[in-house]
Amino acid sequence: MQILVKDIFRLQSLHKARLIAGKDGVYRPVSGATILEMTEMDRDNATELLEFSLKAQEVMITALYNVKNSPEKQCDVIRILNNLHAAGLIVFYYGLVVSRFDERVLSLCDELRFPLIVLDYSESKNVAYADVLNEIYSLRRHGNDTRFRAAVNGMWQIRQDGGSVRDALCRIASPGRLDIAVIDIASRHVLCTTLSTEAVERFAAEALGVLPISTPSFELSLRGVKYYGQRHYTDYLGTSILLICQPAEKAPDTEMVFSCAKLCVDFWRRELVLTRGDSLINAIIQGNLQQAQSDLDYYRKPEGGWWHFLICDARLSDGGPLHGVKSQLRGEDISYVAGHFERLHLILFQRQLDEGILDALVEEGVQAVPDVQLCYAAGLNDEDDMFRLLRFAAENYGAVCALFQNRRIIGRFELLAAESCARACGEESAWYDAQRLLQPLIEYDKKRSGLLLETLQIFLIDCDRSYRRTSELMFIHQNTIQYRVRKAVELLGTSFEQTASLAEIYRALCIYRQNIQKLAFKSI
């Protein structure tokens, strides 16, 4: 079946492309694609060189950088391409290199029925020339293969229905009764696979370290299992695609399966890039900030913005509290880091502050999962501060959750308070200072079996001075809470109207609670 210009818009790399002129040319056949930076056609034998470079019915991929400010020269390019029977022109970085096409260019394309396709810079920053080239040639190579077209159509349908890359790989692997694994060459991490969890662990332990995954292609038998591998680059990833054939099965149609698997990787490459978060997260936590800064390049927004991160315990949740935030970010086309550290789920992203959209999603996610606590640091404008605070929160997650034991969401300033408290707890003088400041409450509770200290801790640390919330947590009437707080303030000889005293009391309560928890843990 012949590939037409209209067909290439279904490719993942071109799903945000726009046909802005020459709409009547969408039925032009496509034989392939060529990448070439266009220049003035009347200089240095440019026309002759173009004739050698471009085959009939190929799509030209370019940014028109050398003629970006000249509608006349852009028209010259289009006329010559049309005379050479090109299928059309795909212009990258539209809005950045060519800011806007002149009406003369658009009219010429309409007149010649020459498709002019643009990839807006703001919408397609992560699409590379090679992505378009590879996908067009994969589509073209098997254009007359009904199995390939069925597989591609199946992938498009799976993606449209919100399916995962694993769903698509299973569809590709099923007819041949084999397994497929996609390996990140840099980290030797299994990005996605049709293998079961147990089989992945066995594969990683027994075979992954031996297979030559960095070579362009290989065929190898290991313990009776046949491995076929091909290297494939897409976007930010260098991957090795493995076909794993069990002893009882015959050799698969490797060319066909590899072509489908490569397209699958290209379709879901954004999601696969996100799985590299483990290496970035671990670089931050291990203090390898040079590596972290380098890995962060893909996720960093050129226009800047605030950094945010969320952490929750994987033992209490499969990451459910983070799903709504991830969906919102995908909807806004924001790249995010998703990774793990020991038992923790983490996501990290750069985004402008909003009017509570993410806050509401975080709150909704937490409420849906009983007992889970979530660290949510929003609005960090310095990457070094973000690295430091994320590292502290991940390494001390248990202690932070214990300190803020009655909070479901632990925010940025709670984390800063916990960090300050952790430093102070290492100083014996800070512990004594906290005890001295709170001594009137300690003595009062001892003599009267009272709960002034506990009430004040919950009131200030956990409930942001909310009498209603404190009464709910302690199952006591609000009037009782108000009496205890007034009595505690009276014994401390201060007023919460005084900012300095409130800050010192809050800090002392945090240090006291954390040290009491440590002492209780040691006594077990």
Side-chain angles (χ1 to χ4, degrees):
M1 183 175 178
Q2 195 172 45
I3 304 300
L4 307 177
V5 170
K6 69 182 183 67
D7 295 322
I8 68 175
F9 287 94
R10 300 178 70 186
L11 297 174
Q12 176 63 16
S13 59
L14 294 176
H15 78 287
K16 290 190 176 180
R18 295 189 295 129
L19 179 65
I20 63 171
K23 294 178 175 57
D24 291 338
V26 294
Y27 292 97
R28 290 191 180 205
V30 177
S31 64
T34 292
I35 299 171
L36 187 67
E37 194 47 66
M38 306 305 300
T39 188
E40 296 94 333
M41 292 293 98
D42 57 352
R43 291 184 55 190
D44 302 326
N45 300 317
T47 302
E48 289 82 355
L49 291 173
L50 183 57
E51 290 176 3
F52 288 119
S53 303
L54 183 74
K55 295 182 176 64
Q57 299 180 347
E58 284 189 333
V59 176
M60 176 60 68
I61 302 171
T62 184
L64 293 177
Y65 185 84
N66 293 322
V67 293
K68 61 182 178 180
N69 297 319
S70 174
E72 294 82 5
K73 291 175 181 176
Q74 293 167 9
C75 287
D76 290 342
V77 168
I78 289 165
R79 288 191 186 94
I80 292 172
L81 288 175
N82 187 64
N83 291 337
L84 294 173
H85 306 291
L89 182 65
I90 299 176
V91 178
F92 266 68
Y93 312 124
Y94 188 58
L96 179 68
V97 178
V98 176
S99 58
R100 186 173 178 273
F101 278 115
D102 188 273
E103 188 60 38
R104 286 170 288 177
V105 177
L106 303 178
S107 297
L108 177 63
C109 289
D110 287 337
E111 177 187 337
L112 298 176
R113 299 180 178 180
F114 183 83
L116 178 58
I117 302 164
V118 297
L119 281 165
D120 294 292
Y121 173 70
S122 60
E123 296 290 332
S124 306
K125 296 175 186 175
N126 299 320
V127 180
Y129 285 17
D131 295 330
V132 178
L133 187 73
N134 290 339
E135 289 185 13
I136 288 176
Y137 271 104
S138 292
L139 193 61
R140 178 63 187 167
R141 188 178 299 118
H142 298 279
N144 295 317
D145 190 321
T146 55
R147 292 177 304 160
F148 179 78
R149 294 192 66 82
V152 173
N153 287 332
M155 276 188 272
W156 278 325
Q157 190 61 52
I158 289 170
R159 184 157 183 85
Q160 188 174 1
D161 294 342
S164 68
V165 61
R166 189 178 191 280
D167 296 333
L169 288 177
C170 288
R171 176 81 67 87
I172 296 167
S174 179
R177 295 190 298 278
L178 59 102
D179 281 297
I180 302 173
V182 180
I183 314 298
D184 179 9
I185 293 174
S187 65
R188 286 186 169 262
H189 178 67
V190 180
L191 296 176
C192 59
T193 181
T194 59
L195 292 166
S196 66
T197 303
E198 297 78 11
V200 169
E201 293 176 357
R202 190 165 56 250
F203 165 72
E206 298 176 359
L208 185 54
V210 179
L211 296 174
I213 62 173
S214 60
T215 58
S217 64
F218 66 87
E219 181 179 329
L220 181 68
S221 290
L222 196 64
R223 296 184 180 88
V225 179
K226 194 80 169 183
Y227 295 92
Y228 303 86
Q230 281 193 12
R231 193 168 58 198
H232 179 60
Y233 292 98
T234 180
D235 204 9
Y236 189 59
L237 286 171
T239 63
S240 182
I241 299 176
L242 303 182
L243 310 184
I244 305 169
C245 192
Q246 299 301 323
E249 302 298 339
K250 65 179 182 179
D253 181 351
T254 54
E255 184 181 359
M256 167 71 176
V257 179
F258 273 127
S259 294
C260 291
K262 288 175 182 178
L263 265 183
C264 184
V265 170
D266 289 338
F267 279 11
W268 274 272
R269 64 181 176 275
R270 187 177 185 83
E271 287 82 351
L272 294 180
V273 166
L274 301 180
T275 65
R276 295 195 75 186
D278 283 350
S279 61
L280 172 53
I281 294 295
N282 281 279
I284 294 171
I285 292 169
Q286 292 164 10
N288 187 355
L289 300 188
Q290 184 176 0
Q291 181 64 46
Q293 288 282 1
S294 174
D295 286 351
L296 201 64
D297 283 344
Y298 177 80
Y299 307 93
R300 191 181 286 112
K301 296 169 72 67
E303 65 272 20
W306 301 89
W307 286 100
H308 314 254
F309 66 78
L310 297 95
I311 306 176
C312 68
D313 193 331
R315 296 175 304 177
L316 299 175
S317 165
D318 62 355
L322 310 182
H323 289 340
V325 174
K326 290 179 180 178
S327 297
Q328 177 70 22
L329 295 175
R330 284 194 293 267
E332 297 179 25
D333 198 27
I334 292 176
S335 299
Y336 60 85
V337 183
H340 298 80
F341 172 69
E342 296 180 351
R343 68 183 190 277
L344 303 176
H345 289 294
L346 304 94
I347 65 170
L348 166 66
F349 56 94
Q350 191 177 24
R351 180 182 184 274
Q352 296 299 328
L353 294 173
D354 57 32
E355 297 180 357
I357 296 174
L358 286 184
D359 292 349
L361 289 171
V362 171
E363 182 71 34
E364 180 182 336
V366 167
Q367 295 306 321
V369 182
D371 301 324
V372 74
Q373 287 179 281
L374 187 144
C375 293
Y376 174 33
L380 293 151
N381 64 350
D382 184 274
E383 287 183 8
D384 290 338
D385 287 345
M386 179 266 292
F387 288 157
R388 190 198 76 249
L389 197 59
L390 188 150
R391 181 180 183 182
F392 168 80
E395 290 181 334
N396 300 277
Y397 181 82
V400 170
C401 289
L403 175 59
F404 298 102
Q405 53 194 316
N406 294 305
R407 283 184 180 271
R408 301 291 303 282
I409 300 173
I410 301 166
R412 167 192 170 194
F413 288 98
E414 282 75 37
L415 288 175
L416 290 170
E419 184 185 35
S420 175
C421 180
R423 287 197 299 266
C425 285
E427 304 169 3
E428 199 168 296
S429 59
W431 167 231
Y432 289 131
D433 289 343
Q435 284 184 296
R436 279 199 299 269
L437 180 60
L438 301 173
Q439 194 63 33
L441 306 185
I442 297 170
E443 292 296 328
Y444 181 91
D445 286 347
K446 279 183 181 178
K447 291 176 182 178
R448 294 172 175 77
S449 299
L451 295 171
L452 292 188
L453 186 57
E454 181 184 351
T455 302
L456 198 60
Q457 285 178 345
I458 295 173
F459 179 69
L460 289 181
I461 298 175
D462 301 314
C463 297
D464 295 323
R465 292 190 288 170
S466 168
Y467 291 108
R468 179 189 60 79
R469 177 68 179 140
T470 307
S471 70
E472 291 173 353
L473 284 175
M474 299 191 74
F475 301 100
I476 298 172
H477 196 277
Q478 283 193 46
N479 291 344
T480 304
I481 300 297
Q482 290 173 2
Y483 168 78
R484 288 181 181 178
V485 171
R486 283 198 303 270
K487 186 65 178 177
V489 171
E490 177 187 325
L491 290 171
L492 292 171
T494 186
S495 165
F496 286 165
E497 300 298 320
Q498 186 181 3
T499 304
S501 67
L502 179 60
E504 286 300 316
I505 292 168
Y506 179 87
R507 184 171 184 273
L509 288 169
C510 287
I511 293 171
Y512 186 86
R513 177 185 273 185
Q514 199 160 71
N515 270 283
I516 290 297
Q517 288 170 346
K518 285 183 177 180
L519 293 172
F521 179 77
K522 287 179 181 178
S523 66
I524 296 175

